Amino acid sequence: PTSEYEQLRRRLKNGVHEFWYYMSSELHKLQKQAQTSAPQMVSKINSILEMGEEHEMALLTDLSSLQKADQYDGWREKEAAELSDLVQRRLHFLQNPPDCSQARKLVCSLNKGCGFGCQLHHAVYCFMVAYGTERTLILKSFGWRYHKGGWEEVFLPLSNTCRDGDGATYAHWPGKPHTQVVDLPIIDSLSPRPPYLPLSVPADLAPRLSRLHGNPFVWWVGQFLKYMLRPQTSISTLLQESAHKLGFEKPIVGVHIRRTDKVGTEAAFHPIEQYMDVVEKYFDVLEYSQKVEQRRIYLASDDPRVIAETKRKYPHYEILGDPVVAKSAAVATRYSDNSLMGIIVDIHFLSLSDYLVCTFSSQVCRVAYEIMQSLHPDAADRFHSLDDIYYYGGQLSHNQVAIYPHSAQSPGELDLKVGDQVGVAGNHWDGYSKGKNLRTDKIGLYPSFKVVDKVEVVDFPTYSEVPL
Ligand code: GDP
């Protein structure tokens, strides 16, 4: 398929979602007004909403069928496998220098003062900088708050040949090109900032990635996680046993409900019904094209009451999830070994699910989404976030490009010219996003369907030693 075809196909699907976010949100507003000013209209608006939703679901079904009918799925699978294989071989090459005593190294401490998802993101950022500077990443993890014995007792070491941070010369970031060992601070205090930080993707892979994938950067993160999270035997046994014990089976939707310390500080409270409405719709659409014997979710939360509540309110669902794990998650601020196994298991099954419903304000769900990308050719649209759009902590700006012009319809809206770049702050999931037009410097709302994401392409080393 041409790149244009693949991009249009994805844009069309996104457009159907955005169209219905817009229509349903406006109709709900009308309905509210009608309740006082024109009560006879309420039921009419209701039936428009119902028929509109059915219409949307039929369109989504047709788009999925179109993808199947175009017969490019074989190409998509093969291209994804080849790209992943290439990047994995490059990472292996980078991480296994023939002579560790001579190797240039980048040292990074895993123990950032935050949760597991946040620490993984910290490590991936280090790994990206290591890739960008062609330095072997040395991950310091002894005394790790989640597992005192360190990373290597849980996951395979990042290198077979080179694990010590020793060298002839040392410097703090950025050091000199010939400095043998450079240590890297957390992304928030990084200075100077190199170009190969999130959301950049390497120029030599970008054309292939933009054709294959709806969000090349998330795919890129997924590749680092794929390399890093190769489990030690004890963990792979645990994951296999858990799958068996839970009866993990598709179709299944992964639901992550983040509560406790997050609510009111970094995120708003969302009732279970908000998550489950999305799940219900996912299965409703699926039932247009296949028989669903049993609606099933994998439910992860840091609040054990959530699991009991969902089981009580949705008795026709099979609900996989462990209240004991959720309980240990609730006290995860202690970061005991016990809570480590819980979060590994939860992230694993969330990422294995067909679709994710969660809040992207949580790094737990973003990690699951990133891992998911290495399990499908393109899983960019296999999520529904109740709050943020996808982001990476400490990222350089996230820009979009206008593909349709827009004239502001109220003082709160932006004017757009085709080609304008907009720094996006968020999607309100009602047809509008908020951001800053970089041409006019104005901040405001604009219709989400009038822009596409800009892929940030940066020259990384091309690893010519590793065959294509
Ligand atoms: P964030 O705070 O949600 O952005 O994500 P972090 O991963 O940085 O920190 C939250 C921590 O709380 C996690 O790493 C877990 O230790 C714990 N936690 C949150 N949600 C869950 C969950 O659904 N399951 C488990 N097992 N632990 C969770």
Side-chain angles (χ1 to χ4, degrees):
T2 62
S3 200
E4 192 186 15
Y5 170 77
E6 287 296 80
Q7 285 169 12
L8 271 173
R9 188 179 52 75
R10 289 192 287 263
R11 193 199 293 173
L12 212 58
K13 193 160 178 193
N14 184 55
V16 171
H17 283 295
E18 288 295 342
F19 180 63
W20 188 242
Y21 290 149
Y22 175 70
M23 294 305 288
S24 60
S25 149
E26 295 298 315
L27 285 166
H28 276 117
K29 278 188 235 163
L30 265 186
Q31 195 177 42
K32 215 163 177 188
Q33 283 171 13
Q35 267 157 7
T36 48
S37 60
Q40 74 281 7
M41 295 296 290
V42 171
S43 76
K44 178 65 192 165
I45 296 175
N46 221 15
S47 59
I48 298 175
L49 274 164
E50 277 173 19
M51 185 51 72
E53 182 149 25
E54 247 191 76
H55 204 145
E56 185 217 12
M57 296 199 295
L59 282 168
L60 291 172
T61 306
D62 288 348
L63 282 169
S64 298
S65 309
L66 183 77
Q67 177 174 338
K68 285 194 194 101
D70 69 20
Q71 300 197 332
Y72 291 132
D73 273 348
W75 171 83
R76 293 179 186 111
E77 297 277 350
K78 184 163 169 279
E79 178 69 352
E82 280 178 17
L83 274 164
S84 172
D85 180 58
L86 176 61
V87 172
Q88 293 304 308
R89 283 185 289 114
R90 286 181 181 179
L91 294 178
H92 185 268
F93 170 82
L94 175 70
Q95 287 305 107
N96 292 283
D99 181 359
C100 188
S101 70
Q102 299 294 317
R104 293 160 75 252
K105 304 173 185 180
L106 188 74
V107 176
C108 170
S109 164
L110 179 61
N111 233 343
K112 186 172 176 177
C114 55
F116 183 72
C118 166
Q119 292 184 340
L120 280 183
H121 281 137
H122 170 57
V124 167
Y125 137 73
C126 293
F127 212 167
M128 282 178 176
V129 175
Y131 183 98
T133 51
E134 295 179 277
R135 290 175 174 279
T136 301
L137 176 64
I138 309 290
L139 190 65
K140 294 255 154 132
S141 68
F142 191 71
W144 183 24
R145 63 200 301 187
Y146 273 96
H147 186 89
K148 295 280 174 267
W151 179 267
E152 293 79 12
E153 290 185 10
V154 187
F155 300 103
L156 296 185
L158 299 188
S159 173
N160 303 322
T161 63
C162 194
R163 289 181 218 166
D164 71 66
D166 302 341
T169 48
Y170 293 86
H172 293 301
W173 174 262
K176 299 266 186 294
H178 57 265
T179 309
Q180 193 183 352
V181 183
V182 169
D183 67 36
L184 194 69
I186 58 171
I187 195 165
D188 319 71
S189 38
L190 184 69
S191 170
R193 287 165 72 85
Y196 25 75
L197 295 179
L199 306 167
S200 305
V201 294
D204 67 327
L205 303 176
R208 291 175 73 183
L209 283 179
S210 299
R211 175 153 76 134
L212 174 74
H213 202 275
N215 192 333
F217 174 75
V218 190
W219 182 92
W220 179 232
V221 179
Q223 289 303 310
F224 286 92
L225 289 169
K226 179 177 176 177
Y227 187 93
M228 284 176 51
L229 297 178
R230 293 163 303 159
Q232 287 287 8
T233 317
S234 58
I235 300 295
S236 54
T237 307
L238 169 77
L239 295 175
Q240 274 162 27
E241 283 174 2
S242 303
H244 187 70
K245 211 166 82 187
L246 286 163
F248 189 87
E249 206 183 320
K250 292 186 172 195
I252 187 165
V253 174
V255 180
H256 178 235
I257 302 187
R258 182 76 165 92
R259 294 266 170 89
T260 63
D261 62 314
K262 196 87 170 179
V263 173
T265 56
E266 293 176 4
F269 177 91
H270 297 278
I272 283 164
E273 287 77 6
Q274 266 188 37
Y275 297 84
M276 290 305 289
D277 282 353
V278 183
V279 173
E280 287 277 64
K281 190 155 168 186
Y282 176 85
F283 283 114
D284 287 346
V285 173
L286 193 62
E287 286 200 327
Y288 275 66
S289 58
Q290 72 181 70
K291 183 151 172 50
V292 178
E293 302 287 348
Q294 174 68 58
R295 294 190 172 202
R296 193 180 294 112
I297 61 172
Y298 183 85
L299 181 54
S301 178
D302 55 336
D303 180 353
R305 287 169 306 181
V306 161
I307 298 184
E309 185 185 342
T310 313
K311 285 189 170 161
R312 183 160 43 77
K313 289 183 171 162
Y314 297 87
H316 56 298
Y317 268 80
E318 189 180 325
I319 296 170
L320 280 46
D322 190 343
V324 179
V325 167
K327 208 161 174 182
S328 80
V331 293
T333 38
R334 289 187 216 140
Y335 302 109
S336 61
D337 283 10
N338 191 8
S339 76
L340 176 63
M341 295 310 141
I343 189 66
I344 290 175
V345 167
D346 277 346
I347 287 178
H348 175 73
F349 289 113
L350 288 171
S351 72
L352 281 184
S353 299
D354 298 306
Y355 191 77
L356 278 170
V357 181
C358 63
T359 46
F360 267 174
S361 55
S362 171
Q363 313 220 35
V364 172
C365 190
R366 295 208 305 278
V367 166
Y369 175 62
E370 290 153 357
I371 297 171
M372 197 185 221
Q373 307 309 315
S374 60
L375 307 173
H376 307 263
D378 176 9
D381 66 356
R382 289 178 181 261
F383 80 98
H384 185 105
S385 166
L386 298 183
D387 55 17
D388 297 333
I389 53 173
Y390 177 82
Y391 68 98
Y392 199 97
Q395 71 190 25
L396 305 169
S397 61
H398 178 176
N399 295 329
Q400 297 176 327
V401 183
I403 52 169
Y404 295 106
H406 185 66
S407 308
Q409 302 197 335
S410 71
E413 282 186 29
L414 290 182
D415 285 322
L416 297 177
K417 278 191 195 168
V418 172
D420 277 357
Q421 290 199 27
V422 182
V424 57
N427 188 326
H428 292 181
W429 314 116
D430 60 359
Y432 290 92
S433 289
K434 189 173 180 180
K436 179 177 177 176
N437 186 327
L438 303 182
R439 177 176 57 85
T440 60
D441 245 12
K442 283 216 175 92
I443 294 176
L445 298 173
Y446 54 97
S448 310
F449 77 93
K450 294 194 176 186
V451 299
V452 290
D453 265 336
K454 177 164 181 273
V455 179
E456 300 294 345
V457 179
V458 160
D459 279 326
F460 281 67
T462 54
Y463 292 87
S464 53
E465 305 89 334
V466 179
L468 278 173

